[in-house]
Structure formats: C-alpha cells, structure tokens
Amino acid sequence: MTTPIETLEFQSEARQLLQLMIHSIYSNKDTFLRELVSNASDALDKLRLESYRDKDLGADTSDLHITLEADAAGRTLTVRDNGIGMTRDEVVALIGTIAKSGTADFLTKLKEAKDAAASQDLIGQFGVGFYASFMVADKVTLVTRKAGTGEGVRWESSGEGTYTIEPVEDAPQGTAVTLHLKPEDAEDHLYDYTSPAKIREIVKKYSDFITWPIRMQGEGEDAEVETVNSMKALWARSSSEVTEDEYHEFYKHVSHDWQDPLETIRLQAEGTFEYQALLFLPSHAPMDLFLRERKRGVQLYVKRVFIMDDCESLVPEYLRFVKGVVDAQDLSLNVSREILQQDRQIQLIRRRLVKKVLSTVKTMMTADAEKYATFWREFGRAVKEGLLDDFENREAILEISSFASTHDAEKPTSLRDYVSRMKEGQEHIYFMTGESRSAIENSPHMEAFRAKSYEVLVLTDPIDEMWVDGVGGFDGKQFQSIAKGQVDLESDEDKKATEVAREQQKKDFESLLTWMGTALGEDVKEVRLSSRLTTSPACIVGDTHDLTPTLEKMYRAMGQELPPIKRILELNPEHGLVTGLREAHASRPEDEGLAETAELLYGMALLAEGGELADPSRFIKLLAGRLEKTL
Ligand code: ADP
Ligand code: MG
C-alpha cells in the first residue's frame, strides 16, 4: 500500500500571514529561532505534565531536551524536541490555521498600516509563532509523532498557499522542524543560521532561561555535544543576577508577545508557604482583551515544573493582561483548576499579586508619568472593571485610575489631582457620562459648570456607567452626575442674595410648570426650573437614582425588561423662549399652539443631550410650521 500524500490549503488568515513572513518585513529575523525553541519547550512541558497525569501514556520522558542540528552543506537547520508531538489532525488544526482570537482584526489593521514601520510594529504586537520560520526558510519540513501513539506525520510547505501532509512510519517521539534556509542569506554571515557561533549567540540572547537543555553538536573533529543554555529559571535567581534583557526575553516566551514589556514585577515569599512570582505588564493590549474567549496570562509552576497556562485562580479577570509565572513550592504536582479555586494558599497569593500590581502602577504614576500613561491607555478600560468586581481594592483602583476631564482636553487626570483642584466649598466630584467627549462638552448640563468653572470628569467608556453609581466616593468626596438630580453651585452668600428672586420666580412660573407637566406628561415625570443652564432654554435630567439613558439602552439591548423610565425637563427661567412661553400661557391659556411649543422645547432638550426623538417627522413638521410663520 502506498501512503497517500495529501495537499491541503492553508486557512485564508494563515495564508495572509505567511505572505508577510515570506516577504519578511520584520527586521529581526533571528527571532524565528526563539519561536521554535519556545514551542519545543512548551511541548516538553506538556509531555511531562501529561505523563504525570496519565501513567499509562507510554511515552519516554527519561531525557527530555531540545536539539539544534545545523547542516552547513545542505543549508538546513533542524529544531528537534522529544516532547508531546502532534497527531495528524492537530498538525492541520494548529499549523494549517491560526486559531488566535483577534487574527482577523489584526489583518485588517495590517492592511491599513501606512508604512513598513507600522506593519512591523503590528506584527510585533501580534506575534506570529511558528510562521516566523518563513522569514528565513523557503521550505519547512515538520515531522512529528504524538507521544503515546505509533504513527508519525510529515508536513511540508513553502508557505505559498498549500502544504502537504503524509503519514510516516518511523518518526521519533516529538517534533522536528527542519528549515531549508533561503539562499540569499547564505553569503551574509550575519544571517548564517548554520553557523554554530551564530546559533549559540541567538540561543544565549533569546532562550537562555529555557528550563530544558538545548543541545548542539560542537565544532571540530571530536567535539562533544554541548548544552548551549544555562537553564536557570529566572524567577528563582536573585534579581541582581538577571539582566533586563533576560527578563524581556523571558516575557516574550511566556506571553508570545514580540515586544518588550512595560514593567517587570518580582515577588518572593519565604517561610511556611514559599513561592516566587515573576510578572509583567505588557506594553500594549492584546487583540483579544475584550473578546469573550480571552485568556489570562499567568502560568502556574510547582517546584519549577510547569503546571498550567492561563491560571485564572491567580489573577482576577480585570487584571487578565498581566503575564508571567508563579512558582509555588508546596502545592501538589497534580493540582487541578477546581482544587486551585478552593485553595487558601492560592487565594493568599492572588491577594498579594493584586496588591503588588496595583502598587506598582501607583508608583509608576509618579515615577514615570509617560509609562503610566501608556499603561492606562492600553489597560485602563479593563482595570476599571475591577471597580465593580473587587470591593476590597476599590480605593486602590480608583487611586491608579485616570479620567478625561474638562480641566485639560489632552491629558486625563487622576482623582487625586482632581480633588486637589476642587474649588473652595466644592463637596462633590462632578462627572458626566455619555457617548463621546463632544456630546458631553456640548450638552446643556455643562453650561453652569462651565460658567462657574467647575471641573467635570468626562466619562465615555461604557463601563463608566456601571461603576460610577456603585462606587460612592473617593477620598471622602462623593461622585455626582451633573445630569442627574438637582445641582446647586451657588455659594451660601449668593444663595441669600438670590433667595427672594428665586421665590418670586417660582411663583411666576408655577402655572406654566404645572400646565407643561400635564401637557408633556407622557414623556416626562416633572417640569421644573433649572439652575444649571445659562444659554440653552431647557435640558433633561435624570432623578438621582434613575438609570442613565445609556445604561437603559444597554440593559434593553441585553434583553432586560424595564419599565419606561421618565425623566425630568428643566427650564431656563432666563431664556427668552421660556419667559415668552410663560407670558403667552398667562394671557392665552387656551391656545393650542402652546402645547406644540412645549413639545418642541422638549424635543430640543432631547436632541441637545444626543437623545433620539420618538417621532422625528412630527417634530420636523411642527418646527417647519413655526419657521414658516417667521418669514
Ligand atoms: P503559539 O505558540 O503562540 O501557540 P505557534 O504558531 O508558535 O503559536 O504554534 C502553534 C501551535 O502549534 C502551538 O500552540 C502548539 O500547539 C503547536 N506546536 C508548535 N510547535 C510544536 C512542537 N514543537 N510540539 C508540539 N506542538 C507544537
Ligand atoms: Mg509559539
């Protein structure tokens, strides 16, 4: 029987990515080796774990290692491991496609990228793993046999659209990736990946910390096989021994990110419960930060042995972007995710990690404002979810948060800074939520605050709507929406002076307000005079404890049943339209046109806050009628 060779097509995303790699616009080609070694190391981790869990696996775990085999004459380089390997279907699924979430998004952005530098930057953010091989090879052969199975698979491709796949009889356990190096790199010793010196240099630089031996045949007649990496787990070494570059390369291995991290965080606990943590804040958000199938980035080790990726018990959801490793000394090697969730020691580690991450960011705020700004731009939206979830650290999260504000259009402000700028006698932290900065800034609610130069936080993330009501306050000051409840910006002195005038105003308008309340009764629950308007005739505000319109929309979109929420119409007693309406109503209470004016006034207030009219064509008809009369 002849063994069939199948030719299959790459998934289209994979094809596009491969094109990029073949035309190698990424400047640092050496990184291909880091990716292959990283995969080999993962495969060894997986096999050790699997054979520990499944005693009948029948795999050989006696000498797990990685081998680099260079053939200068044949111009090939092979990266071999005796790890977990892949079945045929796994090869098709894992190598023939990219399953990474956010891929489509990444490719769209890449198409929009203006120049080579921008594309490079994007590739760095995305990370391409195995396909990095095609930066240096014009053909790649992969032979693999899944540990515990009998038959191997051979995969081969030049990266141009298709690959072949066929069974092989006598493949060793694990995976061997052979790169047929591009001829153009042969002359240039900078890129001679068959040179042992070059290979050694790359391994030292990118993969030294890999905890499995990386072996290579030495040069010369009777040279022996040597181990080219030091294999020291970085987190177990004292920080003075580890260079920043080493931390950065380790970060790239655990995160699959190609860019340096923003910050490295170390934590060590000795005593009865010993553990080490080496954590990183990335310098950019992953493509899947807000996708449903997103993962968390902390790996769990027990006594240097890799136990699991994406250990959700170690970091809360809102810190899912934190990457790194926790190595606990006293856990059992066969802990499961379920056990971890209950484990008291794990909960203690988690609490400490969270506090450490938050305090690191807090330090960053003053020590390196630019770095902090990057952090907040990339991860602020995720961090703010903690205001809903993590009651214990609420104050600390508020402390490291920044918000857009009317104080400075360019730069967000911390709450601490907001509080330091509060006016004499100001008791609240004022904010407004909305869909965009311009909608908020141009809303009538802002008028009196602007006129009296009170600073207002401009909250435009959907999540802001959710936390701001529940959080209460910061530093003893309550958050107060400028679009809700009554506002009172007058000082006590001003109040006295205007009290008499106010009383008079109330009397003057009483009959208008009562009448309008009835006329607009289907839409609003109250019509009252406003102290927040200077130039607009009217605005709509919510009752103190009512849902905001955005939240209402969100809940309805999620399919929640809500009773209709009526809001309050506030009139500006200084505005000509309002005073005119009052006079007209006093002299001709029966005039039916007045109800239409009231309706128009309400419609304008609705539009001014970015709301939608219930019946736009009616509004336009009424308005056109009025305009016509003015001509
Ligand atoms: P990533 O490592 O980020 O998942 P890669 O493109 O590097 O992406 O690899 C894709 C997948 O192929 C890996 O997740 C792994 O499942 C599989 N794979 C790659 N190399 C090996 C290997 N040497 N042994 C076993 N599986 C491998
Ligand atoms: Mg990889």
Side-chain angles (χ1 to χ4, degrees):
M1 199 180 93
T2 54
T3 52
I5 302 184
E6 289 178 84
T7 301
L8 299 179
E9 264 181 36
F10 284 104
Q11 159 219 39
S12 83
E13 282 91 349
R15 212 157 46 221
Q16 292 177 53
L17 206 53
L18 279 163
Q19 278 304 311
L20 279 168
M21 290 300 107
I22 291 171
H23 302 292
S24 180
I25 48 174
Y26 198 76
S27 58
N28 193 355
K29 291 201 281 189
D30 293 357
T31 50
F32 82 90
L33 190 56
R34 172 187 77 199
E35 294 303 317
L36 295 180
V37 168
S38 176
N39 286 349
S41 169
D42 289 348
L44 296 169
D45 284 339
K46 283 180 199 160
L47 177 60
R48 175 166 57 184
L49 199 63
E50 191 61 30
S51 63
Y52 191 85
R53 296 210 170 123
D54 178 3
K55 301 282 182 232
D56 306 324
L57 187 64
D60 177 11
T61 57
S62 56
D63 179 28
L64 298 179
H65 65 278
I66 299 164
T67 319
L68 304 178
E69 299 158 6
D71 174 358
R75 300 258 332 124
T76 65
L77 173 65
T78 298
V79 179
R80 182 186 298 282
D81 66 71
N82 54 356
I84 191 81
M86 286 174 272
T87 63
R88 178 204 175 273
D89 290 351
E90 282 171 342
V91 173
V92 172
L94 299 168
I95 305 293
T97 67
I98 327 170
K100 211 157 149 174
S101 46
T103 306
D105 200 31
F106 159 71
L107 287 166
T108 320
K109 281 198 190 140
L110 205 56
K111 265 193 209 117
E112 289 162 3
K114 282 178 206 71
D115 49 36
S119 323
Q120 273 215 29
D121 197 43
L122 275 168
I123 290 177
Q125 284 182 34
F126 187 71
V128 282
F130 176 79
Y131 291 170
S133 311
F134 289 96
M135 296 195 293
V136 299
D138 50 21
K139 188 170 83 183
V140 177
T141 312
L142 176 149
V143 176
T144 184
R145 178 166 65 81
K146 179 96 175 183
T149 71
E151 192 170 79
V153 184
R154 184 188 150 91
W155 175 101
E156 193 164 85
S157 179
S158 60
E160 302 275 8
T162 62
Y163 57 87
T164 60
I165 193 158
E166 65 187 297
V168 284
E169 288 297 326
D170 46 5
Q173 167 187 308
T175 305
V177 178
T178 299
L179 308 180
H180 305 265
L181 299 163
K182 288 183 183 175
E184 63 259 33
D185 291 338
E187 311 303 316
D188 190 342
H189 71 270
L190 250 183
Y191 295 116
D192 182 4
Y193 298 114
T194 59
S195 147
K198 175 74 185 172
I199 296 170
R200 215 177 282 120
E201 176 202 316
I202 306 179
V203 171
K204 266 274 161 243
K205 184 162 173 202
Y206 295 114
S207 312
D208 191 57
F209 52 81
I210 293 289
T211 43
W212 302 103
I214 303 172
R215 294 181 190 151
M216 190 172 70
Q217 178 65 47
E219 288 144 289
E221 281 294 282
D222 39 31
E224 299 187 346
V225 171
E226 52 181 304
T227 298
V228 288
N229 58 328
S230 74
M231 295 199 286
K232 285 186 190 155
L234 288 196
W235 62 87
R237 290 162 66 185
S238 86
S239 49
S240 59
E241 275 178 41
V242 185
T243 66
E244 195 174 7
D245 280 347
E246 284 180 294
Y247 279 134
H248 289 182
E249 293 311 327
F250 179 70
Y251 163 76
K252 291 173 192 170
H253 169 61
V254 291
S255 68
H256 301 212
D257 184 0
W258 284 28
Q259 291 185 329
D260 289 341
L262 195 65
E263 190 73 46
T264 304
I265 303 173
R266 290 198 52 149
L267 240 161
Q268 254 155 352
E270 324 245 292
T272 45
F273 184 41
E274 194 181 328
Y275 63 89
Q276 293 107 18
L278 176 53
L279 303 180
F280 301 93
L281 305 179
S283 55
H284 61 91
M287 305 278 169
D288 64 357
L289 188 59
F290 293 99
L291 299 182
R292 205 178 281 274
E293 64 273 38
R294 67 202 172 201
K295 286 192 163 177
R296 271 169 271 193
V298 177
Q299 300 180 337
L300 177 68
Y301 279 64
V302 172
K303 295 183 267 294
R304 312 271 181 283
V305 176
F306 170 80
I307 303 294
M308 66 180 72
D309 263 328
D310 183 24
C311 183
E312 69 272 8
S313 299
L314 284 171
V315 277
E317 186 79 31
Y318 73 95
L319 295 180
R320 57 187 173 274
F321 53 83
V322 174
K323 305 280 181 193
V325 166
V326 171
D327 189 347
Q329 307 302 304
D330 302 324
L331 288 173
S332 141
L333 282 176
N334 56 0
V335 290
S336 66
R337 289 185 189 269
E338 292 68 38
I339 291 175
L340 284 175
Q341 272 173 13
Q342 315 290 334
D343 190 282
R344 216 182 58 84
Q345 292 179 329
I346 289 289
Q347 284 162 6
L348 286 175
I349 299 183
R350 173 185 167 119
R351 282 181 70 185
R352 202 152 158 242
L353 296 187
V354 171
K355 292 207 188 305
K356 181 75 180 180
V357 169
L358 297 178
S359 69
T360 302
V361 176
K362 187 172 169 193
T363 310
M364 204 192 272
M365 278 175 112
T366 44
D368 191 339
E370 207 173 306
K371 212 186 225 188
Y372 166 76
T374 304
F375 171 83
W376 192 255
R377 186 189 66 229
E378 298 294 322
F379 303 113
R381 272 172 66 203
V383 171
K384 284 190 284 188
E385 293 169 17
L387 293 170
L388 292 168
D389 303 341
D390 188 353
F391 190 75
E392 184 185 338
N393 292 300
R394 216 170 237 185
E395 193 78 9
I397 298 171
L398 285 174
E399 189 79 58
I400 62 157
S401 296
S402 294
F403 305 98
S405 142
T406 54
H407 173 70
D408 185 337
E410 308 295 320
K411 213 171 133 268
T413 178
S414 69
L415 293 174
R416 189 84 29 231
D417 288 347
Y418 179 101
V419 168
S420 74
R421 287 188 298 264
M422 277 170 66
K423 287 162 74 98
E424 183 81 28
Q426 180 181 346
E427 286 170 9
H428 300 299
I429 297 173
Y430 292 115
F431 71 89
M432 183 165 166
T433 59
E435 281 178 12
S436 69
R437 181 170 189 118
S438 66
I440 291 175
E441 285 193 325
N442 296 325
S443 98
H445 303 103
M446 201 61 111
E447 288 172 9
F449 289 83
R450 189 177 300 120
K452 298 214 154 95
S453 60
Y454 279 91
E455 180 174 351
V456 177
L457 299 179
V458 176
L459 307 184
T460 53
D461 284 338
I463 184 85
D464 293 328
E465 302 266 359
M466 321 271 292
W467 64 262
V468 74
D469 280 328
V471 156
F474 172 77
D475 196 24
K477 320 277 185 301
Q478 295 295 305
F479 287 96
Q480 161 85 55
S481 167
I482 65 164
K484 272 184 166 188
Q486 303 269 17
V487 294
D488 182 6
L489 297 180
E490 289 187 326
S491 65
D492 289 345
E493 264 164 65
D494 286 350
K495 252 182 229 160
K496 272 194 204 108
T498 52
E499 208 159 350
V500 184
R502 277 277 146 83
E503 282 308 309
Q504 187 58 42
Q505 235 171 22
K506 261 195 192 149
K507 275 196 201 116
D508 294 348
F509 280 89
E510 199 178 321
S511 132
L512 176 75
L513 296 180
T514 315
W515 166 74
M516 270 183 83
T518 320
L520 297 173
E522 286 202 1
D523 300 310
V524 301
K525 64 171 151 195
E526 187 189 344
V527 181
R528 69 187 181 204
L529 294 184
S530 185
S531 55
R532 65 186 104 210
L533 299 174
T534 58
T535 51
S536 298
C539 71
I540 293 174
V541 300
D543 237 355
T544 315
H545 299 293
D546 278 353
L547 286 180
T548 63
T550 318
L551 260 191
E552 189 188 343
K553 226 191 272 174
M554 267 159 59
Y555 283 128
R556 290 196 199 282
M558 288 178 335
Q560 277 213 24
E561 303 242 359
L562 294 173
I565 297 172
K566 285 190 191 174
R567 296 194 296 143
I568 298 163
L569 180 66
E570 286 194 354
L571 303 181
N572 178 358
E574 315 288 340
H575 197 281
L577 184 51
V578 176
T579 52
L581 186 59
R582 182 180 69 87
E583 281 155 26
H585 174 67
S587 56
R588 311 175 256 122
E590 304 303 321
D591 185 344
E592 283 184 5
L594 296 183
E596 290 175 4
T597 309
E599 203 180 325
L600 282 169
L601 203 52
Y602 168 68
M604 288 192 295
L606 206 57
L607 289 176
E609 66 158 16
E612 282 166 32
L613 298 167
D615 187 351
S617 62
R618 177 174 163 80
F619 181 83
I620 288 166
K621 209 172 88 198
L622 292 179
L623 185 62
R626 293 307 156 100
L627 290 174
E628 207 180 311
K629 281 188 199 148
T630 65
L631 299 174

